[in-house]
Each structure stands twice: as structure tokens, then as C-alpha cells.
Amino acid sequence: MAEDVQTIISVVPDDEGKEKFRKCAETAFYRRQMQGPNLQYKVPLDTMVLTERGAHFEVVESDTQVRLALSVSPMKNGILRILIDELQPIKPRYRVPDVLTGEQVCEQLRVEKKNEDSVTLTWALGQYQIQVWQCPFRLEVLCGEDVTVTFNPKGRLRFEKLQHSSRALSDTSEDEPGLWKETFRKFVDIKANGPSSVGADLSLHGFSHVYGLPEHADSLKLKDTRDGEPYRLYNLDVFAYDLHSRMGLYGSVPLLLAHKQDRTVGLFWLNASETFVNVHYTPHEEEDGSAPPVKKRRVPLQTDVHWVSESGVIDCMVLLGPTPQQIFTQYAELTGYQAFPPLFSLGYHQCRWNYNDEADVKAVDAGFDRHGIPYDVIWLDIEHTNGKRYFTWDPALFPDPVGLQRHLEEKNRKLVVISDPHIKYDPEWSLYRKARDGRHFVKDREGKIYQGSCWPGESCYLDFSSPATRAWYSRCFSLDKYPGSTTSLFIWNDMNEPSVFHGPEQTMPKDALHHGNWEHREQHNLYGFQQHMATAEGLVSRSGGLERPFVLSRSFFAGSQRFGAIWTGDNVASWEYLKVSIPMLLSLSVAGIAFCGADVGGFVKDPDPELMVRWYQAGALQPFFRGHSAKETKRREPWLFGDTVTSSIRSVIQRRYRLLPYWYTLFHQAHTSGTPPLRPLWVEFPREENTFTVDHQYMIGGALLACPVTESAVQEVKVLLPGSNEVWYDVHSAKAFRGGRTIILPVTLDTVPLFQRGGTVIPRRTGCGSSTAELQQFPLSLTVALDSNGCAAGELYLDDGHSFCYRDTKAFCLRHFTMLAGRLLSRRGGDEDSVFECDCVVQTVTILGVKRKPSSVFVHIAGAEKRPVGFQFEEARHKLILDGLKLGVVKDWEINV
């Protein structure tokens, strides 16, 4: 694989390759944090002040007498916030804006006990406690009687104070290089505030499995970092990124989850500057196998996490769970719930860099219809613009963009175009002049407009940290300001790490200046997040607040889930990249980014037909489903690989569309509870340790287990079916399997290993049509998979699929289905005031796991007479099929078997 990657030609002009990216040893603030002198902080307990916002202390370093301010704030729903800042800074330190949603409600702390060494505080009816130890300072978080998390257990707290910039003049005489000026390759970084890094360590007691910290092309379970680089959180444009690497990619979410059989906890480190995270497991994984069994049993399990950031403050939130679902809700309460996507965006998207012109777009669109393959969105990359000027159209290639969008809209399809954050330097272009005159550009360290290089050549970069700039940019999407746009046009934010060709690590210099005179180093990881925010707000404003937006962003941060979807960037058409896409998407999902996907087929290089089919099979079972390819690759529309491949891809996409009622219901759950549609097995089976490291298969909601085939020429795959008391049904054959074991499943090229969990009900459409709009014209079917007790439950969510009426006028329908003792009930769920009128009916019910042929089946609709129903029973497969039901979805009814 390494040889294959080396032969790939980068799409970036004059790309210097992977050598342009720094390692931790080349990073001055990381070296200081790791190699600096031992410091001992103490907390004079007599400095404690209790307020309605928590407890406040002074923290003093014994030798230097550096004084810090510590606040400990318990929030509602089991969250503890630990905030450390300078007690009296020479000027305010940067605190991350826009990420936390609203004012957090705190609970009142009270003193449980106090002695000369420590004070114990409690809240929430006494189920949680905090013990603050005076010297050396450490903070223990207790759940019940057990210490669950310790802050500063090994004394790794480091907090470099801001200094006056006059010190920078004497940089050449400093004892250690990199304090005021740092050079990497040819780039010089001038640090106006001098050294300002922060760091802290935490111990997670009893835990030996931690997850999260996207984005990295690596396993779901985080690896022990003693053998190499720490995990790096620094948003970068990394073309054809290395696999099994901890280097930072396009986005960052500084959220780490730890799980054990009886508890899940989270650590959220709210810092947008460059951050490194070390993970150390005890006992160490490599030592574990060689240690004597008795000794292994005596070593308590523990995971130590060490966070180091270049600047800002220490703002660490401990999420106390205790269940995975509660962690998801706690995190969503902090940073926001997943945006509820319009239904069309859950369909299939077709993208290429670039479709040549309007005729090409129309030909591809017609190709889908000609081959009977449903799709909803076609995309245009940078070549659609007039000379890489965003918000414009190439007058020769796309002379009638409104006509093109109307052509697609007649088929209920949408167009997505790209809008990058760099603006071509062109004083003759009105949009450039407006941005310049409105002071909407980032400045260099001298206070002049910063210029870098990207696709248009010399470019200036919008300063999305400025609320005024975001508002101006949002207005650019209004129909009267964006010539050629219509309400069926949606947006793709790319290159927003930000990517700067020939910049340090192909990004913006850290000493560039943003709104408020903040250096770029303080907020680097927020840049794409804030463009994503402004774009989503622009589309909402375009519709007068009525329509849900769809915006895809390559770069992201904590909270990006509020604005739309993300994808995993410039991957490669190889089996290894297909395989790693699964743990990458699972890591994103558990970190709140639920609407995520990977380029189907790989962005660069050419997939062979087998890889193409397998990637479509995997992509159809993931949240964001888009085929995408670079301009150097061969055309790869689904019908270009021969009839057999076309048939296979058509079948995969059609199955995706029929399953969209289930996907849409899952996104409603994500929007209201924070639980992601894509889930590692341990989320659904938290007590089963054999699921804790599985990252090649996953759950879709609580009802489906998927195990995409990610290796070439295989004839069988191993599938772990968790839960010794569970029953699993092969979706394609209806064959039942007992849980709590690994099965060997024979596969052909058309096999997609997918199992329905006993005890669940899954809604589908009986057909799919050519788009999601046509899909909704088909009746519904329910698949009821009985558990070992003959029970099942599920739900279905419906609304208009595109507006905010579900939120503003409660125009939605939520139905609960339960089966118990041979009775399948459909009852209203959710808000009693919700109203959604629709003609949709349940046409078919299939019940799996029926032991004996029933003598009769009756249906009873509320307000009508009970009537018999015809049925088919397949004895060999224990499968009962009820057809021709015509049961109104919005009505209460029951079926008696």
C-alpha cells in the first residue's frame, strides 16, 4: 500500500508531499510541555468561594509563584466543567466562541467534608462528588463511592503565562528556541504573546478502551501513544493521507470517550489551537501479554490522557454518562444536536471534479434515468465558476445555470456547487472589492490583507471569526446576490482547513490576524466550522427561515454537526482505504458528527469493478452517500463498468432508498437525543467486552448490524453476532441465528452482510422511484423481527422532508410499533400536539421468527370493524407475510396473529 500511495500524483500544484507536515518533535510548545521542569501546584483551600456557578479556587505554583484561577462547575445532566485561566493575565486569553450552545445551567455545590488536606464537594443528590486535594493539587471525580476521573494525577499541569511583546525583540538570546519565534522549513512564525501553551493530564480509572478524537485514518479504539506520535488535532489539507496514522487531517473534535462494562465517560477539551493528545493504557498493551497472569490481575486498569495545546485556556468538560446514550445527549447539550437533514440529502449524490458543462450534467442525469438508478443530487466542483471566482458561473460552460437547475428540479433533483473560503485577488471583481472594503479578510502579522495561494492563484481569505463577515457571507447566498442560483441549489464548503498552497503545512500562518486582533494560532481549528456555520445560516436566510439547508464541509470542529454533513476528504481507490473508512466514520459518529461519509470509489486512482461494487455496498449503509472522483481519474458513473456491475450498483442504491424511512427516523433520533445512526457495537452491547475493539462492522440504529465486505476475492466473511440472548435474522434470507457467537457467512459479489436484530421493527418503502420525492409515493412495509420472547418494537418518523414545520408548527408524525403476545400495535408517539396529514399507508407486514402457521389473522383499525387478513406463511423460514393491508400510517391500528 505504501508503494501505491507514493505513485499518486497530488492534485495540489508543486506539492512537496508528506514532508511538509510537522512531527511533534519539531513543535516547540509540545517539547516544552513534555520536557519542561517538574512543577508542583497547590490549591490553598482557604481561597475557595462557592457561587451559583460552582466552586472557585486559586492555584499557586510552588517555585515560580505563578497564580492561576480554577473554577469547577457542575452542570445539569451529569457534566463537570474544569476551567483554568491566569488569575491576572496581562490581557485576556482566547476562549473558544460559538461552539457551546446557549448558557449552561449549573447545579449548586455544597461542602460534604473538609480537612487540612482536601475538601469534598457534592451535587445532584449526592450521587457525584469532587475531592480537591491541596498539595500537590489534584481533583478527583467520584461517581458514588468510586473515583472515576482524576485531573492532574501525575502533575502534568502546565500553563505558560502571557508576556509583553517587547520580549520578542530579544528572541535571538533566549535560552530555548521557539519561545518568541519558531522556524519550520522556510516558514517563520512570530509569536506576539510569546509562549502560551497549556497542558493537563487526566486518569480514567478502570478503563482500558478509549475512542474519539477524530479525524485520523486509524482504528476506532485509540492506540497507546508510547510507541510513536501522539494524536494530533490540527486541521490540514492532507491529500491521499497515510493510513494507520495519528497525524491531524481535515477536522478536529477534541472529544474522547472511555467505556467499560458498567460506565461510559467523556472528556471534552474545548481548545481550538493546535493540540496533541497522548494516551497511555495501564497495563500497557505490549507488556500485558508477557506479564505473569497473577501480576496482570493485580494491576488495576487505567487510561491516562495527556492534553497539550499551543494556546488558550484549559477548559475541560467531564461527561459522566453513565450510559453511551447519555454521553451522546450530554455532549449534544453542550455543542448542539445533529442538524435534521432534508430527506433528499439522505439519497445518493453523484459528484466529480468536474462535470464539463451543462450538457454533461444533463447527460449524466439522463444516464441515471436510462439505467433505472435513483439519485437525488448532482455536484459541480471549482471548474463551474468563472475563473475560480465563487458565486459565479463559467459563461461558456454554464451559460444558463437557472435553466439547468430547473431541468433538474422538474425531476425533483438538486444541484450542489462548491464555495471555498479563499477569494481570488482581483480588484476588478465586485465581490473581492466588497470583501476588501468591508474588512472581511484575514490580515497578516503586519496588519495588511493576507494573501496566499489556492485554486484561483493569489487569493485572500475571508475572516469567518468575525460575526460581521459571517453575516456578509451569508447574505451572498441570497437569490438576488448570487446570480444564477435558485432554491434548489445547495452548497459544498471545501479547502476550509484553510488550505493555502505553499503555506506552512499547506495552511495559514499561525501569526496571521483575525477579528479582535486574535492570532490564527488561537482559533485555527475553528476556521472551517465558522465557514460551515455562515453557509448554513445563508441558506436558511435565503428561504426566510422556512427550509432546512444542506451544506457539506470538509473541515470541522466540535459543534459542526449543527450545520450539516462532513466527509473524510481525499481518499484513494484501494481496499485499504475502503476498510479504514469504517472506523473513521465510527469515530466521527461517537464524537457527535453523525452525518458523515467517505467518497465512494475513492477520490483518486481508478477502482476496479469489484472494489467499485463493494464500496457502493458499504456507502449505501453509511449516513452520507456520495460517489466522487478527481478529474485525473477515468469516468466512473455507475453504468460504465458493464451490465453486471451496473445491476449490482442499481440494486444497492435501490435498497438504500427503500430503507430511507428507517434512516430518516434515525436522524430524527440524532436530532432530538444526540444518538448517532452509525454506532459501534459496544454502544448497543455495552457489557460485552468482545465488541469493544470491533471496527469492521457496526450497528445502524439499534436494529441493523452491517458488516461490509472490504477485502478482495473473498468467498466468506466472519460476522460477530453479539448478545447470547439475542436472535439475528439475515436480511436477505430471513435465516435466524443465535447471538453471542461469530458465524462464517458465504458471500458472492452481490452479498451485503446485513442482519436485523430480534425484537425490532424496521420501516421501508415498497419501491423507490427515481428520487426521494418519488419514493414517498410508495406505500410502506414493516419488517417485524421477533426476539426469543416473541416481542418486537420500533418507530417511524414522518414529516414533509424539507421544511422547519416539524419544529415550528409540530407538523410531524411519530408512530410506535410494538408486538407482544401475537398483537402488533401502532400507536401515536411524541408530542400530543403534533399533526401531520398524509395518505401514506402500511401495505405489507413481514414477521420473522413465527414458529407456527397461524389459523387466522385479523386487523382492527380504530373506529372500524375488525376484519380478516390474508397471509402467506413460509414454514422453512418461519416467515409470515401480510399483504394488501392499506393501514393508514397516522391512524391507530392493531393486527392479531
Side-chain angles (χ1 to χ4, degrees), residues 342-356:
L343 180 61
F344 79 79
S345 66
L346 298 180
Y348 175 64
H349 301 248
Q350 182 67 34
C351 184
R352 179 173 176 80
W353 178 23
N354 200 88
Y355 285 118
N356 300 326

Side-chain angles (χ1 to χ4, degrees), residues 75 90 141 186 191 199 213 228 231 244 416 545 553 696 708 725 836:
M75 302 179 185
I90 58 172
V141 183
K186 63 182 179 182
K191 305 177 183 184
L213 299 183
Y231 287 94
H244 314 298
V416 166
S553 176
H696 66 287
N725 296 321
F836 183 67

Side-chain angles (χ1 to χ4, degrees), residues 109-380:
L109 283 169
R110 60 185 180 274
V111 175
E112 182 78 7
K113 59 182 177 181
K114 184 177 182 180
N115 57 41
E116 61 182 17
D117 296 320
S118 68
V119 60
T120 301
L121 305 167
T122 189
W123 80 99
L125 302 177
Q127 68 184 102
Y128 302 118
Q129 294 183 337
I130 310 162
Q131 190 166 12
V132 180
W133 294 86
Q134 178 170 254
C135 189
F137 160 59
R138 72 181 187 277
L139 187 153
E140 296 175 340
V141 183
L142 290 81
C143 299
E145 299 296 320
D146 300 323
V147 177
T148 302
V149 178
T150 304
F151 181 88
N152 199 39
K154 301 183 183 300
R156 302 297 301 173
L157 175 62
R158 299 284 189 277
F159 207 103
E160 295 182 325
K161 291 185 62 177
L162 300 183
Q163 301 177 46
H164 291 288
S165 57
S166 57
R167 278 284 311 278
L169 299 175
S170 60
D171 182 69
T172 53
S173 63
E174 63 181 327
D175 295 330
E176 181 183 344
L179 292 176
W180 290 89
K181 181 172 72 174
E182 186 173 4
T183 302
F184 174 69
R185 296 169 70 84
K186 63 182 179 182
F187 303 102
V188 177
D189 174 21
I190 303 297
K191 305 177 183 184
N193 298 312
S196 58
S197 68
V198 298
D201 63 313
L202 296 98
S203 289
L204 303 165
H205 302 283
F207 294 92
S208 57
H209 297 83
V210 297
Y211 313 92
L213 299 183
E215 182 177 37
H216 301 93
D218 207 356
S219 58
L220 172 63
K221 181 191 173 186
L222 300 180
K223 294 187 172 75
D224 192 297
T225 59
R226 276 175 279 207
D227 62 348
E229 291 285 307
Y231 287 94
R232 188 185 188 197
L233 298 176
Y234 192 63
N235 298 351
L236 293 169
D237 178 358
V238 188
F239 176 77
Y241 41 83
D242 289 340
L243 301 181
H244 314 298
S245 169
R246 299 167 200 157
M247 102 175 258
L249 297 181
Y250 307 96
S252 301
V253 182
L255 173 69
L256 178 144
L257 278 66
H259 178 70
K260 59 182 179 178
Q261 286 181 312
D262 60 349
R263 183 174 286 275
T264 310
V265 301
L267 301 177
F268 178 41
W269 180 268
L270 183 53
N271 192 300
S273 68
E274 181 179 6
T275 297
F276 291 96
V277 188
N278 276 298
V279 176
H280 292 172
Y281 292 109
T282 303
H284 186 23
E285 290 169 328
E286 294 182 0
E287 298 168 353
D288 196 19
S290 60
V294 173
K295 184 175 182 180
K296 278 172 28 180
R297 281 198 299 268
R298 289 178 180 170
V299 176
L301 296 177
Q302 180 173 302
T303 300
D304 296 312
V305 183
H306 185 196
W307 305 79
V308 175
S309 294
E310 182 172 12
S311 198
V313 299
I314 292 175
D315 193 355
C316 181
M317 278 149 269
V318 182
L319 285 56
L320 294 170
T323 68
Q325 286 77 11
Q326 286 171 300
I327 288 286
F328 297 140
T329 301
Q330 288 162 356
Y331 180 68
E333 284 291 304
L334 286 172
T335 65
Y337 289 84
Q338 174 65 53
F340 197 8
L343 180 61
F344 79 79
S345 66
L346 298 180
Y348 175 64
H349 301 248
Q350 182 67 34
C351 184
R352 179 173 176 80
W353 178 23
N354 200 88
Y355 285 118
N356 300 326
D357 50 29
E358 290 178 3
D360 195 11
V361 172
K362 291 178 180 178
V364 172
D365 174 69
F368 278 91
D369 291 333
R370 188 170 64 252
H371 293 91
I373 301 173
Y375 94 105
D376 266 77
V377 192
I378 193 164
W379 295 50
L380 295 177

Side-chain angles (χ1 to χ4, degrees), residues 761-813:
V761 179
I762 290 181
R764 289 180 174 85
R765 295 283 180 177
T766 58
C768 60
S770 63
S771 66
T772 53
E774 287 191 11
L775 173 78
Q776 296 178 85
Q777 300 171 13
F778 289 88
L780 288 158
S781 68
L782 300 178
T783 303
V784 181
L786 300 179
D787 64 15
S788 55
N789 297 316
C791 301
E795 65 180 31
L796 169 68
Y797 175 87
L798 294 171
D799 62 19
D800 64 18
H802 61 86
S803 78
F804 286 111
C805 287
Y806 75 91
R807 179 194 68 193
D808 298 336
T809 64
K810 298 184 179 178
F812 66 88
C813 167

Side-chain angles (χ1 to χ4, degrees), residues 470-487:
R470 291 201 300 272
W472 173 83
Y473 186 73
S474 294
R475 291 192 292 272
C476 290
F477 292 100
S478 63
L479 297 178
D480 61 335
K481 289 185 169 60
Y482 189 169
S485 67
T486 73
T487 56

Side-chain angles (χ1 to χ4, degrees), residues 469-663:
T469 298
R470 291 201 300 272
W472 173 83
Y473 186 73
S474 294
R475 291 192 292 272
C476 290
F477 292 100
S478 63
L479 297 178
D480 61 335
K481 289 185 169 60
Y482 189 169
S485 67
T486 73
T487 56
S488 62
L489 184 74
F490 296 88
I491 302 300
W492 166 23
N493 295 149
D494 197 7
M495 312 297 286
N496 54 346
E497 293 74 29
S499 180
V500 182
F501 299 161
H502 318 306
E505 298 193 89
Q506 202 171 305
T507 192
M508 188 174 287
K510 290 181 175 181
D511 53 11
L513 295 176
H514 287 264
H515 170 72
N517 219 34
W518 292 107
E519 287 187 301
H520 183 71
R521 81 181 72 254
E522 305 276 6
Q523 53 190 284
H524 172 84
N525 288 342
L526 277 183
Y527 189 86
F529 163 93
Q530 288 173 325
Q531 186 196 16
H532 200 186
M533 181 198 318
T535 307
E537 290 173 350
L539 295 190
V540 171
S541 299
R542 182 183 74 180
S543 72
L546 300 178
E547 297 293 318
R548 289 177 243 170
F550 170 73
V551 184
L552 179 77
S553 176
R554 188 169 73 176
S555 189
F556 55 89
F557 191 65
S560 286
Q561 67 271 8
R562 307 199 304 265
F563 312 123
I566 73 97
W567 91 107
T568 60
D570 297 344
N571 59 0
V572 178
S574 76
W575 291 96
E576 292 85 348
Y577 278 84
L578 168 58
K579 183 179 294 187
V580 83
S581 70
I582 296 174
M584 289 182 75
L585 297 180
L586 290 173
S587 295
L588 286 163
S589 294
V590 299
I593 309 288
F595 197 6
C596 56
D599 284 346
V600 170
F603 179 62
V604 290
K605 298 188 73 175
D606 299 306
D608 61 41
E610 182 191 10
L611 177 59
M612 196 68 172
V613 169
R614 292 302 191 197
W615 215 317
Y616 268 94
Q617 291 171 349
L621 296 173
Q622 293 162 354
F624 177 60
F625 183 26
R626 181 183 73 156
H628 185 32
S629 54
K631 61 183 179 180
E632 291 83 4
T633 64
K634 299 175 184 176
R635 292 290 286 255
R636 61 166 87 146
E637 286 72 42
W639 51 88
L640 296 180
F641 292 79
D643 291 344
T644 300
V645 171
T646 301
S647 177
S648 295
I649 294 175
R650 179 191 302 115
S651 176
V652 163
I653 296 178
Q654 288 175 341
R655 287 199 295 267
R656 162 72 172 218
Y657 272 68
R658 287 195 290 269
L659 192 59
L660 281 182
Y662 181 62
W663 277 106

